[in-house]
Structures are given as C-alpha cells and as structure tokens.
Amino acid sequence: MKSFASIIPLVAALAFVILAVTGIDLIMGRVGLGMVVLGGALFLSFLLRVVKPPPDRRLGLAALVLAGGAYFLWRAWAGGPVALATVDIALVLSGLGVYLGVVASGERGRRIWIAVVAGLALLNAAIALYQQWSPGIYYFWQSRAGEHQMVAGFFGHYNPFAAYLNGSVFFLLSYVVLGRRLGLRILLALGSVAIVAALVYSGSRGGWLSFVIGGAVWLVFLLVVLKRQGSRLFGPLALAGVLLMVAGGVTSIEVVRKLTAERQMPQNPDFDTEINLAEADGGRMAFQQMAFEVFQDEPVLGAGPQAFSYRSLEKWDRDALGIWTNLPVYAHNEYLQVLSDYGLVGFLVVLVLLFSHGVIAVAGVLSGGTRDREMILWQIGAVGGLVAILAQSFFSFLFHFPACLALAAVQLGMLASPVSQTKQGGLVLGRVVALAGMAVAVGLVVTGWPLGQSYRLQRQGMRELRSAGDPDEVFRSFATLTKAGNLAKQPDIFEVIARRAMTLANQVVKEGNPGLARDYALKAKEALERSLELNPHFGEGLAGLPRVSDMLGHDAEAEEGHRKAMTELWTREISLRPHYHAARSSFYKAFRAGSNDEALRFLYQARERLQQRLMILRKKSDFEPIREFAIEVEAWIAFREGRRLFQKGDEIWKNARPRNPELAMALLLEARKRYERAKEVVAGIEPLWETEWKQLETHLSYLRAGRTNPLELNGEDLGKYLLPEVGLATGEGSR
C-alpha cells in the first residue's frame, strides 16, 4: 500500500507538467488531459485518507481553501453564460486540484513537485534563449511565419511566460543559498542565470518589475532565516542584497521606460485624435476603471464569470480610449477582475486565503522547526515567487492562464505544508477534507474529459474541413466540429463553422448553385444561434447572425440583428464592423425595393450607417475597401435622386398649371448633375441610366430651344423635391 501511495504524488506532478505545458494560453481544451490525470491521482490519494486520515496537514487551512473554491464554483455556475462559466470552473478546479495535490504530498512528494516546477522553468528558459537567437520562431505550439518574433518559451505571450519564470526561479535561488549539495547548487545557479536572461529577453515590463519586487521579499525572508541560523553568509548577503535591490529599482525604471517607448503606438494619420497615455499602454488604465465601474454596479456577488468581457463595452469612454484599442476581454488587473466578476465576497475570499497562508508561512519559517528543515527552503522560494506573480497580476490577467494558476497553487500548497512535526489532526475534519478532495477530483474528471475530447475533435474536424473534397465531406467536418463545440461549451468553435459555411455559400452562389448555398447559409445560421445560446454576449455571433439572415433573405430578422449589433458592439467597429455590415444590408435591400423612393430610403440608411461608423472611429476617411463601398453608395444615391428630380421636373413641365418651365428646367439640370455623378458606377450596371439620360438630354434641349432660364434653387428649395434623410439606423451614432 505504501508503494502504491508513493506513486500518487508522481502522477499528480505529471498532471502538473501537462497543465503547465498545455495551459500556456487561453485555449482551455488543451488542458483537459491534465485535469483528468490530476483528478484520478487526487481521487486515489483522498480515498486512502478517508479510510485513514494522516497526521495533521493543516487541515483547517485546506478546509478554508475548499470553502473559498466552493464559492467561486457556485458563483460561476449560477452567475453567467454557460460558455464563460465553463472556463472559470475549469480554472478553479485546476487550481484546487494542484493545491490539494501538493498539500497531500509528503517530503518525497514535495521534492517531486519542486523538481517538475524547476525543470519546466529551465526548459522554458532554454526554449526562450533558442528563440532569441533563432529569428522566425514565434510560438512553440504553432509556427506563425511572418509574425514578429516573441521570446516566450512554451507560452503564447511573454507576460505569462515571465510570470512562470518569476514564480519558479526563487525555488532555485533558495537552494543555491541554503542547499547542501555543492554540485547541484552550482548547476542551479547557472540555471537561475539562464532564467533571468530569458526574463530580460522576453521584454515583459511587468515581469521584470515583479521579479524585483519578489526578489526583495525573498531576500528579507532569506536573511531572517540566515540570521536565526547564525550563518556567516548573513552579512555579505545583506550587503549584496541591498545593492542588488537598489540596482533592481533603478533598472526597473529604465527597463519599463525603454520597453514602453518601443511599444508606443504611432499616431495614425487616418484618425482625428492623437494616441493618449491610456491608449499608449494598451488601454490598461481605462480597462481597470471600467472593471471598477462594473463592480460598483453589482458590488456584493459581482456580475458573474468573465462579465467584464461584455459589461466593459457598456462603460467605454470614447474620449479616454480609442476604438482601435485592444478588445478588453480581461481587466489586466486580477484584483479588479475578481471584484467585477465575483464581487466583494470573492475579493475577500482571495484576501483571506492569501493572508492566512502568509501568516502561517511566516510563523513556520520563524519557528525554525527541527523536522523537515528542507521545507523552510522551499517556503522561502514559494513566498518570493508568489509575491512576484501577485505583483504582476496588478497589470496582467495571469490567473486566466492555467499554467500560471497551477504554479501559484503549488506555491500556496508549499506554504500550507508544515515545517515542524504536527500532532494527529481531528478524524472528522480529516475525513471531511478528504471527501471534499474526492469531490474536487470528480469535478476535474467530469470537466476535464469533455474539454480534452473537444480539443481532439476540434483538431480532427479542422483536418477534415481542410481536406474536404465535396459538400458531404464538408458537412461531416461540420458535424465533428459541432460535437467539439458542444462538449467544450465554447462559441468560438461554432463561429469557425459559420465563417467557413458562409465562405462556401458565397463561393457556390458564384458557381450557380443557389440550393447548396442556402444549405451552407442555414448551417451557418444554426452554428451562430448555438454560439449565442452558449454566450448571448458573443460578439462574433451577434455580428455574424444578421449577415447570414441577409443571405437567406430574412429581411426583418436581419434588420433586427443589425440594429442589436450596432447598439451592443459599436465599440468593436474596428474589428467586427457592425455599422459597415448594416450599411451593406441596407444597400442591397435598395436593389430589391419596389419603387425608386423606397430604394432611395434604403440608400440614405446605408449612407447614415457609414457616417456613424466614421464618427465612432473618428476617422477622416475609411479604409480602402470600405471607402470604395461608400463611393458606390453615393453613386447610387445620386442616380436615385436624379431619377426622382427627373420625374418631378418632367411632371412640372408637362402637367403644372400654370406652366412653370423655369422650375422644371432647374430640377432637370439638378437631375443631370446627379446622372453625371452616377455614370462611372451605375451606367455599366443599370440599363435605365442610359435610357433616361437620353430622355433627359432631349427634354433639356427642348427647354433650351424655348430660351427657358432655370430658377435659382438653394438647398432648402431642392430638399422639398427629395426624400428627407430620415435616419433609420440605431447604434452609437444616435446615442
């Protein structure tokens, strides 16, 4: 039984390796396997503890963590769309699982955990150094030729990469100073240098600043231990530490200034305003203000899992932050993120857990227990690393990366482990914690298995889609992707289906197969509707569904969808372009209109929506393809206005009593100007242009022959004979 029990920490640590290697971005499906392996190991571990609770492993602290985790799980499940809740539930379960795995490990098990954490840090550093000297490698998991180089190890971004290095390096440094094996100390010293070098090369401003902060706290703890041990290293290390901290503070200012200058967004000549300070920093300051405003709306329990991702759009201040700024999915401050999503209750839970672990760790280190003295070393490393990650979390969303969350859980687990011998704990509490641990294990498997299967099916579906040679194979690939999306509860997968289906629909329409095009469009509609069932705030679904309705000819449904998209997504005009697509919808309705006046109203509506878009973007003119579309809209407006003026002028000339040839000629001349403006775009498409142009020229020739002098018409006079430009659109422009 003992040999079997000794294998469990190894399996749990293996699960951490999977989480740390796969949880390097925001793709949760990839971590499913790690969650399942971790859940299996934890279930067996706590099953043994139900039968025979071990000596006190600070069970009260573990119970406190489980209670806090239960709040986040409940709030995520009850408080938001299923797609967003699924992600947060998976994150919370992963963190709880790793924490319990560390706490349940003995001395040998903790060494395994430290070994895998340090080994992965060294591996990340090695990959990063290779990336630094091998231009072209951007992202370990997926080669992105042509994109800028990024030194980030396994990770998809330098900020979580820097956080992982910061969270690990102090374990190595602690052994370098306090360890017993000289050879290992030398190797780890070299490894620490490599990690710090990789941190510098990553270019993470927050990473370097947090390294200095974590290093200062680590040094204080280290000096306290050396002082209590009466070590001769205390004096030299104290002096060296002070000098290094001063140097670190000075370099932090310079490093942050230099990297900020390198990333300064240049002023775009297409925009009317200059990039301000908030925008130059990627919008972090403004995002954090939005997060606090979301918290103020629902301060007790918060707005629900990842509510900031959609509630922030309601708080957008266009005067402080440009529309072209990055989409604020996260607040770039984990503390404000917790406040906005989980309220004051969630924030207090986090504070209590951090404070309780910190107090107990400090007490344990200061007590200098005689048993398991090695644990003091690891706890000093855990304190430094955890402080570094917590500091960087003030300006990043680190705990939404499974790898960073798992590392923080390891650090907390190390702090919760006893330094000195403890007495036998209460059997009742021990069994309660063990049963709760088994429940977490079951949750990990139940949540992780669908995520892992989803990731596998998504990759399979994409391979099938790329190799599909006929419609049947395409629809089979769509079925595979649909299974993947339903398993993971992720709307992004359904958006992939819809986007591909619409591309194929447009393609087969040109090939003369409207029936197949309709089938593809119906599939796109089904996929987008499913995406909005999973997350009603899913921007791609809100923007895409009315476009599909346009293709299917569902005009009323399309118009309702466009209006909703313009209202809710105006802040995403730069990427999702709701006003532009609404304008196109109005434009094409003009061609199906039953009369010239109806067509003109739709064209006016298209123009208004394009003007609203320019107001939102604060641009002098639009990007080239949309600028060409705007020119086309104006040409058709000119043609339709010309027709109306031609008809009015002709009617006045022929039927007015008394006759008013002067007014008729004025209207016909205005009509002629519009026909001329429309000629380049309209003449080759609309046969009526040439027919009516000839008629118009004939009428004018008769009036000239009669020596008719046209009236002078101002804009107000002319407006009486044109449709009023009534704005039919809704959105930011009418706010």
Side-chain angles (χ1 to χ4, degrees):
M1 182 66 73
K2 287 185 178 180
S3 60
F4 174 74
S6 64
I7 296 175
I8 294 177
L10 181 62
V11 177
L14 174 63
F16 172 82
V17 172
I18 299 173
L19 287 173
V21 172
T22 59
I24 41 70
D25 52 23
L26 303 175
I27 301 175
M28 289 302 299
R30 196 183 285 133
V31 304
L33 175 61
M35 293 177 66
V36 171
V37 175
L38 180 60
L42 282 182
F43 188 86
L44 295 176
S45 176
F46 284 104
L47 180 62
L48 297 176
R49 284 164 173 74
V50 170
V51 178
K52 185 180 178 182
D56 180 18
R57 298 282 180 179
R58 292 181 176 162
L59 296 175
L61 200 56
L64 189 63
V65 170
L66 286 166
Y71 167 75
F72 283 101
L73 291 173
W74 166 78
R75 188 69 185 107
W77 177 77
V82 62
L84 303 180
T86 299
V87 174
D88 277 17
I89 287 172
L91 287 168
V92 173
L93 287 172
S94 298
L96 286 174
V98 172
Y99 174 85
L100 293 173
V102 175
V103 170
S105 300
E107 180 180 352
R108 233 178 243 182
R110 288 194 294 271
R111 288 177 180 172
I112 293 173
W113 282 98
I114 294 295
V116 297
V117 168
L120 286 172
L122 292 170
L123 182 58
N124 267 290
I127 294 173
L129 294 176
Y130 179 67
Q131 290 170 333
Q132 172 66 21
W133 300 108
S134 301
I137 295 180
Y138 170 80
Y139 181 23
F140 181 84
W141 280 97
Q142 179 181 350
S143 177
R144 298 181 181 179
E147 296 220 26
H148 66 284
Q149 182 182 359
M150 185 178 289
V151 176
F154 280 115
F155 289 77
H157 195 271
Y158 46 77
N159 280 333
F161 166 72
Y164 189 89
L165 295 186
N166 284 335
S168 308
V169 69
F170 295 106
F171 286 127
L172 280 69
L173 290 173
S174 295
Y175 194 89
V176 169
V177 178
L178 298 175
R180 295 179 179 177
R181 298 181 182 179
L182 180 60
L184 183 57
R185 291 169 67 187
I186 294 173
L187 288 176
L188 292 182
L190 294 174
S192 300
V193 172
I195 289 175
V196 174
L199 174 65
V200 173
Y201 286 137
S202 73
S204 173
R205 298 169 294 179
W208 179 256
L209 183 61
S210 302
F211 171 72
V212 173
I213 295 172
V217 175
W218 171 80
L219 184 61
V220 170
F221 271 73
L222 178 66
L223 291 175
V224 169
V225 171
L226 290 176
K227 181 68 174 178
R228 293 183 63 83
Q229 293 179 351
S231 173
R232 290 177 296 179
L233 293 175
F234 175 79
L237 278 178
L239 178 60
V242 170
L243 294 176
L244 286 174
M245 287 305 101
V246 172
V250 173
T251 57
S252 294
I253 297 173
E254 179 60 24
V255 166
V256 171
R257 186 198 64 77
K258 181 175 181 296
L259 292 176
T260 300
E262 290 176 355
R263 297 181 198 171
Q264 182 78 29
M265 295 172 62
Q267 181 180 351
N268 190 327
D270 286 337
F271 291 90
D272 294 332
T273 56
E274 295 183 359
I275 306 298
N276 60 35
L277 177 61
E279 296 159 351
D281 194 34
R284 282 179 173 82
M285 293 171 61
F287 295 167
Q288 292 169 14
Q289 175 64 34
M290 294 177 199
F292 190 73
E293 291 175 5
V294 173
F295 159 68
Q296 289 177 311
D297 290 342
E298 300 186 47
V300 179
L301 298 179
Q306 298 190 38
F308 175 80
S309 63
Y310 56 89
R311 294 288 291 273
S312 60
L313 302 183
E314 303 170 7
K315 310 294 182 181
W316 198 286
D317 182 358
R318 194 172 62 178
D319 293 328
L321 199 61
I323 286 301
W324 58 93
T325 309
N326 294 332
L327 176 66
V329 177
Y330 302 103
H332 288 73
N333 181 311
E334 288 290 25
Y335 307 99
L336 288 171
Q337 183 87 38
V338 169
L339 280 170
S340 66
D341 294 354
Y342 292 94
L344 191 59
V345 174
F347 184 70
L348 291 176
V349 167
V350 172
L351 287 185
V352 168
L353 293 180
L354 291 175
F355 180 77
S356 59
H357 282 77
V359 168
I360 292 178
V362 169
V365 169
L366 294 179
S367 69
T370 57
R371 297 292 301 270
D372 204 3
R373 290 177 60 88
E374 184 181 277
M375 197 63 227
I376 299 177
L377 181 158
W378 303 135
Q379 287 189 338
I380 294 173
V383 167
L386 183 60
V387 168
I389 291 180
L390 291 175
Q392 192 174 344
S393 295
F394 274 101
F395 26 81
S396 191
F397 46 96
L398 299 177
F399 293 124
H400 288 82
F401 293 88
C404 294
L405 180 65
L407 178 57
V410 171
Q411 294 160 340
L412 288 171
M414 289 294 171
L415 296 179
S417 299
V419 173
S420 57
Q421 179 69 20
T422 55
K423 298 178 181 180
Q424 179 76 22
L427 294 179
V428 174
L429 181 58
R431 287 194 171 94
V432 169
V433 170
L435 289 171
M438 291 174 66
V440 171
V442 172
L444 281 165
V445 174
V446 170
T447 306
W449 179 258
L451 288 175
Q453 287 294 96
S454 169
Y455 184 68
R456 180 185 64 81
L457 287 171
Q458 184 180 4
R459 291 172 62 86
Q460 176 185 328
M462 293 305 298
R463 287 195 301 269
E464 292 174 352
L465 186 57
R466 285 191 293 267
S467 62
D470 58 54
D472 289 339
E473 292 180 352
V474 170
F475 280 103
R476 278 197 293 272
S477 70
F478 287 162
T480 303
L481 290 171
T482 299
K483 291 179 184 176
N486 285 326
L487 281 170
K489 306 291 190 297
Q490 291 308 299
D492 308 73
I493 299 175
F494 291 99
E495 191 268 335
V496 171
I497 297 173
R499 183 159 23 92
R500 182 59 177 162
M502 286 299 290
T503 299
L504 291 171
N506 288 316
Q507 179 180 321
V508 297
V509 161
K510 296 176 182 177
E511 295 171 356
N513 194 339
L516 181 57
R518 182 174 179 79
D519 291 340
Y520 281 134
L522 288 171
K523 186 63 184 178
K525 186 172 188 289
E526 174 189 308
L528 290 174
E529 287 175 341
R530 177 57 177 157
S531 74
L532 292 172
E533 289 175 7
L534 295 171
N535 180 8
H537 312 287
F538 183 54
E540 286 75 5
L542 289 172
L545 189 57
R547 296 170 61 189
V548 178
S549 297
D550 277 327
M551 172 169 275
L552 291 170
H554 302 164
D555 288 349
E557 189 176 290
E559 180 61 21
E560 181 182 356
H562 283 303
R563 289 172 182 258
K564 184 175 183 180
M566 287 188 291
T567 300
E568 297 190 14
L569 302 176
W570 68 270
T571 56
R572 298 185 63 183
E573 186 67 39
I574 195 72
S575 56
L576 296 181
R577 303 186 292 183
H579 284 80
Y580 166 67
H581 291 299
R584 291 190 68 87
S585 176
S586 300
F587 178 71
Y588 287 117
K589 286 174 186 173
F591 289 91
R592 303 196 301 271
S595 68
N596 188 73
D597 287 356
E598 185 183 6
L600 192 52
R601 287 186 180 275
F602 280 125
L603 290 169
Y604 283 151
Q605 187 182 62
R607 170 201 275 168
E608 181 186 4
R609 289 171 171 177
L610 289 175
Q611 290 172 345
Q612 287 176 348
R613 171 180 161 83
L614 288 176
M615 289 173 59
I616 292 169
L617 298 181
R618 292 188 172 181
K619 286 172 60 65
K620 300 170 184 176
S621 60
D622 221 320
F623 301 108
E624 185 61 35
I626 302 178
R627 188 183 305 134
E628 293 176 359
F629 171 64
I631 292 172
E632 190 175 359
V633 170
E634 291 301 324
W636 282 98
I637 287 176
F639 173 63
R640 293 293 180 176
E641 286 184 345
R643 292 195 75 203
R644 181 173 175 80
L645 291 172
F646 183 14
Q647 292 167 1
K648 291 292 182 182
D650 185 62
E651 181 181 345
I652 290 171
W653 181 33
K654 294 178 179 178
N655 301 322
R657 295 293 182 271
R659 301 286 295 275
N660 193 347
E662 292 81 6
L663 175 59
M665 187 171 187
L667 293 175
L668 293 178
L669 287 173
E670 289 292 338
R672 189 179 190 279
K673 293 177 184 177
R674 285 159 173 75
Y675 275 88
E676 286 182 328
R677 288 205 301 266
K679 179 178 180 180
E680 184 176 348
V681 173
V682 177
I685 301 173
E686 175 56 73
L688 283 175
W689 184 92
E690 185 173 357
T691 301
E692 293 177 356
W693 173 261
K694 292 178 180 178
Q695 293 174 353
L696 178 59
E697 289 292 284
T698 301
H699 285 33
L700 286 171
S701 67
Y702 291 151
L703 288 167
R704 291 190 186 101
R707 299 183 181 277
T708 303
N709 294 317
L711 287 178
E712 294 287 338
L713 296 177
N714 57 33
E716 183 178 351
D717 295 331
L718 193 60
K720 297 175 183 178
Y721 300 97
L722 293 173
L723 288 176
E725 296 188 39
V726 178
L728 303 178
T730 61
E732 200 280 337
S734 60
R735 294 168 77 86

